[in-house]
């Protein structure tokens, strides 16, 4: 029984939805092992609804919706009871298949790591300092296959064995910068395209093959909100992000084996910082949000250094989520700010492939912004009225945001610009602007821009981006 729920605008849509629900409920109760009482109640209500639909052709949309609500109240519990066993069986089968595929994938992955190629073993790696990077960067990588790259207008196309993945040119430039600052085992970018292809293919598989399927998992805060968080609360780290939607150059993500080359520190639930200011906008999964709150409270309880988490979760009240209830009752909660529905925006999860005018979308639910801080973190990053006012202003929808979405082209990075040994000033990770944060710099002076060549614009943009990346935002 599958009835698509959507916002009804017209009377005919409401009438069709009511008929479909009545027909599906009757078919469901006839095809399952239901009790006589349930069968009687459902069939009577369904037939009464169909008779009413045949008789009355002058009803309004509200009449149809009221009738649908009444039918759902009468038939819903009985239909749910007879479908429970089938649904649980399907879910159990999906879980078992997923667990089996995960086990086989892990075994294959471990076998590849434990059995490197002969060429790799012939030249043992030289010992070097690896700091604040995933441990996989200390393990030599076998030679990777060749991936072809070409550009179609503002889209970068990567092809491997006849299969192609795409990414906006601005996000391709962003991946170059992340790779340059986060990956120290490939100074000549010989493995860059292969790793970008793996990254895009991994997230494409996670999202799903349907149009816009799964992109809600990667929704992100607007650039202006990240700027306010960095200015007012010293935030330099995202607890839930990916190389495709991150704002800072340091973040936690779901796939450390490939995301680690682009700045990921691994899954957040395995990440244990002792100080710093962090932003958390998790996928809206109740189990994950609940585990996140448990991890937050353990970290805040164990650390005496300044530690702060600014959390963005949906304000679901009917019913309320356990994570929101726990955070509202937490002893570490310093302030809570609720943003009403349709009065704020998110960046689309498909921002790396979507059009400019599709980059932002209005939130259809309220968002709860909670400040979880230990005592030292509260002293350093207290949510004062002035700071909260700037943060609230930054969250308001703006028509001008679409003019600053992505940088104009890929970064031109030379091998001589990379140091295998980091400078002392670089040891504290710094904030990174997403592509949406740089285009405004190209429009500040219309007269100078018109007299500059494209190469001069690209060079100026690169210098500004690198200057921002190298700024000292200490954790």
């Amino acid at each position: 029984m599958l009835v698509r729920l959507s916002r009804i605008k017209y009377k005919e849509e409401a009438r069709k939805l009511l008929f479909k629900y009545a027909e599906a409920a009757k078919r469901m109760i006839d095809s399952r092992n239901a009790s006589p009482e349930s069968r009687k109640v459902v069939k009577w209500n369904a037939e009464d609804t169909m008779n009413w639909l045949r008789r009355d052709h002058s009803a309004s949309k509200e009449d149809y919706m009221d009738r649908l609500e009444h039918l759902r109240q009468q038939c819903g519990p009985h239909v749910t009871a007879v479908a429970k066993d089938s649904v649980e069986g399907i879910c159990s089968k999906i879980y078992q298949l997923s667990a089996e595929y995960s086990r086989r994938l892990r075994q294959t992955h471990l076998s590849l790591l434990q059995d490197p190629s002969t060429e790799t073993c012939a030249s043992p790696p030289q010992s070097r300092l690896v700091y604040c990077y995933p441990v996989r960067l200390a393990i030599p990588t076998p030679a990777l296959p060749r991936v072809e790259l070409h550009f179609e207008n503002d889209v970068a196309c990567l092809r491997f064995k006849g299969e192609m993945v795409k990414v906006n040119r601005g996000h391709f430039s962003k991946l170059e910068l992340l790779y340059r600052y986060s990956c120290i085992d490939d100074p000549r970018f010989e493995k860059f395209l292969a790793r970008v292809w793996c990254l895009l293919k991994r997230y494409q598989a996670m999202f799903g093959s349907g149009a816009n399927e799964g992109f809600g998992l990667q929704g992100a805060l607007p650039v202006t909100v990240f700027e306010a968080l960095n200015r007012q609360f010293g935030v330099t780290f995202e607890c839930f992000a990916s190389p495709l939607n991150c704002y800072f150059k340091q973040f936690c993500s779901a796939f450390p084996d490939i995301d680690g080359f682009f700045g990921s520190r691994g899954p957040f639930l395995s990440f244990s910082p002792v100080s710093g200011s962090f932003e958390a906008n998790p996928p809206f999964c109740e189990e994950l949000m609940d585990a996140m709150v448990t991890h937050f409270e353990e970290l805040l309880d164990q650390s005496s250094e300044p530690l702060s988490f600014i959390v963005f979760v949906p304000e679901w009240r009917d019913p309320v989520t356990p994570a929101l209830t726990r955070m509202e009752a937490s002893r570490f909660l310093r302030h809570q700010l609720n943003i009403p529905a349709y009065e704020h925006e998110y960046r689309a999860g498909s921002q790396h492939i979507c059009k400019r005018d599709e980059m932002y979308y209005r939130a259809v639910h309220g968002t709860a912004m909670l400040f979880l801080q230990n005592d030292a973190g509260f002293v350093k990053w207290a949510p004062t009225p002035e700071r909260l006012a700037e943060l609230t202003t930054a969250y308001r929808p703006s028509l001008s945001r679409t003019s600053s979405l992505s940088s104009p082209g890929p970064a031109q990075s030379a091998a001589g610009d990379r140091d295998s040994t980091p400078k002392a000033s670089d040891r504290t990770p710094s904030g990174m602007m997403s592509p949406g944060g740089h285009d405004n710099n190209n429009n500040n002076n219309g007269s100078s821009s018109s007299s500059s060549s494209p190469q001069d614009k690209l060079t100026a943009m690169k210098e500004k981006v690198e200057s921002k990346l190298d700024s000292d935002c200490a954790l």
Side-chain angles (χ1 to χ4, degrees):
M1 176 179 175
L2 180 60
V3 177
R4 182 179 179 183
L5 299 180
S6 59
R7 183 172 295 177
I8 302 301
K9 296 182 179 179
Y10 305 105
K11 181 179 75 171
E12 289 304 319
E13 292 180 352
R15 178 185 175 88
K16 187 182 296 186
L17 184 62
L18 176 59
F19 178 80
K20 283 185 176 181
Y21 189 92
E23 186 181 39
K26 183 178 179 182
R27 187 167 58 249
M28 173 72 75
I29 209 71
D30 285 338
S31 61
R32 303 301 173 94
N33 185 19
S35 65
E37 180 64 24
S38 296
R39 195 181 302 274
K40 178 180 178 181
V41 170
V42 173
K43 292 184 70 173
W44 185 89
N45 280 279
E47 291 174 357
D48 181 63
T49 299
M50 291 182 179
N51 291 333
W52 179 77
L53 286 170
R54 295 188 190 101
R55 291 194 313 267
D56 195 342
H57 297 281
S58 60
S60 64
K61 184 188 79 170
E62 288 73 20
D63 295 334
Y64 290 127
M65 297 307 295
D66 291 343
R67 190 86 182 193
L68 176 61
E69 182 62 27
H70 173 75
L71 188 61
R72 289 175 58 187
Q73 291 177 357
Q74 295 296 319
C75 301
H78 302 285
V79 173
T80 302
V82 299
K84 180 179 179 182
D85 292 340
S86 298
V87 173
E88 289 180 348
I90 293 172
C91 293
S92 177
K93 186 174 181 179
I94 292 174
Y95 172 78
Q96 292 171 3
L97 289 174
S98 301
E100 176 62 19
Y101 284 132
S102 177
R103 184 186 64 80
R104 288 164 55 185
L105 181 62
R106 177 176 174 78
Q107 288 178 348
T108 304
H109 195 180
L110 291 176
S111 66
L112 292 174
L113 290 177
Q114 293 171 1
D115 187 22
S117 63
T118 306
E119 180 182 354
T120 303
C121 296
S123 56
Q126 298 179 355
S127 60
R128 64 176 185 271
L129 177 65
V130 178
Y131 66 100
C132 200
Y133 287 128
V135 69
R136 67 195 52 78
L137 295 184
I139 303 174
T141 302
L144 298 177
R146 177 189 174 96
V147 174
E148 299 176 357
L149 169 69
H150 71 276
F151 292 94
E152 297 178 358
N153 297 326
D154 290 333
V155 178
C157 305
L158 291 87
R159 184 184 297 275
F160 174 65
K161 289 186 177 181
E163 192 171 359
M164 187 166 64
V165 292
K166 298 181 179 181
V167 63
N168 292 339
R169 186 185 284 256
H171 279 77
F172 183 78
S173 173
K174 173 185 175 180
L175 292 175
E176 280 191 322
L177 290 172
L178 288 171
Y179 192 81
R180 178 186 175 191
Y181 283 93
S182 301
C183 186
I184 59 176
D185 73 335
D186 187 19
R188 297 183 180 179
F189 275 51
E190 295 172 344
K191 305 168 185 175
F192 171 69
L193 291 180
R195 286 170 173 168
V196 171
W197 194 92
C198 293
L199 170 73
L200 296 175
K201 195 64 180 174
R202 176 73 62 84
Y203 280 94
Q204 184 184 81
M206 182 186 74
F207 291 151
S209 57
N212 297 324
E213 181 181 358
F215 285 123
L217 294 172
Q218 291 288 294
L221 301 177
V223 171
T224 52
V225 176
F226 278 116
E227 292 172 345
L229 289 173
N230 178 257
R231 265 194 317 271
Q232 299 299 326
F233 299 96
V235 174
T236 59
F237 196 104
E238 296 166 76
C239 298
F240 299 91
S242 77
L244 298 173
N245 75 348
C246 65
Y247 174 85
F248 300 108
K249 75 172 184 178
Q250 49 184 356
F251 54 90
C252 285
S253 68
F255 307 116
D257 57 329
I258 185 64
D259 296 350
F261 301 113
F262 300 90
S264 172
R265 304 299 188 253
F268 175 71
L269 297 181
S270 303
F271 182 67
S272 301
V274 295
S275 66
S277 184
F278 301 82
E279 176 270 346
N281 178 27
F284 297 159
C285 167
E286 294 191 23
E287 293 81 3
L288 177 59
M289 291 191 293
D290 196 48
M292 172 194 72
V293 176
T294 301
H295 194 50
F296 281 159
E297 293 190 332
E298 290 176 354
L299 295 175
L300 291 167
D301 187 57
Q302 294 170 3
S303 177
S304 59
E305 298 184 34
L307 188 58
S308 171
F309 296 99
I310 303 177
V311 190
F312 297 79
V313 294
E315 192 185 5
W316 291 336
R317 298 288 182 182
D318 187 20
V320 65
T321 58
L324 183 57
T325 301
R326 291 179 58 192
M327 285 190 287
E328 289 178 335
S330 174
R331 65 187 179 92
F332 298 107
L333 179 66
R334 305 297 179 172
H335 188 78
Q336 178 174 347
L337 191 63
N338 297 324
I339 311 296
Y342 300 102
E343 294 185 12
H344 60 295
E345 294 177 326
Y346 284 92
R347 277 187 294 162
S350 58
Q351 61 179 276
H352 60 287
I353 57 174
C354 72
K355 299 178 182 178
R356 286 174 176 261
D357 56 357
E358 299 172 353
M359 187 72 70
Y360 288 90
Y361 64 92
R362 294 289 179 95
V364 297
H365 54 73
T367 296
M369 189 189 315
L370 302 102
F371 293 76
L372 302 180
Q373 301 169 329
N374 60 8
D375 293 338
F378 179 66
V379 171
K380 188 170 184 178
W381 300 296
T384 62
E386 295 78 11
R387 290 173 172 174
L388 293 173
E390 179 173 341
L391 185 57
T392 304
T393 302
Y395 220 153
R396 291 173 184 165
S398 173
L399 296 177
S400 62
R401 280 179 179 161
T402 56
S403 64
S404 60
L405 297 176
S406 57
S407 54
Q412 303 296 326
S413 57
D417 294 336
R418 295 170 49 84
D419 295 329
S420 57
T421 304
K423 300 176 183 178
S425 61
D426 292 334
R427 300 201 178 193
T428 300
S430 61
M432 174 177 178
M433 296 290 289
S434 72
H438 308 302
D439 279 356
N440 286 339
N441 297 328
N442 298 333
N443 301 323
N444 289 338
N445 191 333
S447 60
S448 62
S449 296
S450 61
S451 62
S452 301
S453 67
Q455 184 61 34
D456 294 337
K457 294 179 182 179
L458 186 59
T459 302
M461 183 275 297
K462 176 189 170 189
E463 291 175 353
K464 291 176 181 178
V465 172
E466 292 183 356
S467 175
K468 179 65 179 176
L469 285 168
D470 290 332
S471 62
D472 187 13
C473 297
L475 286 181

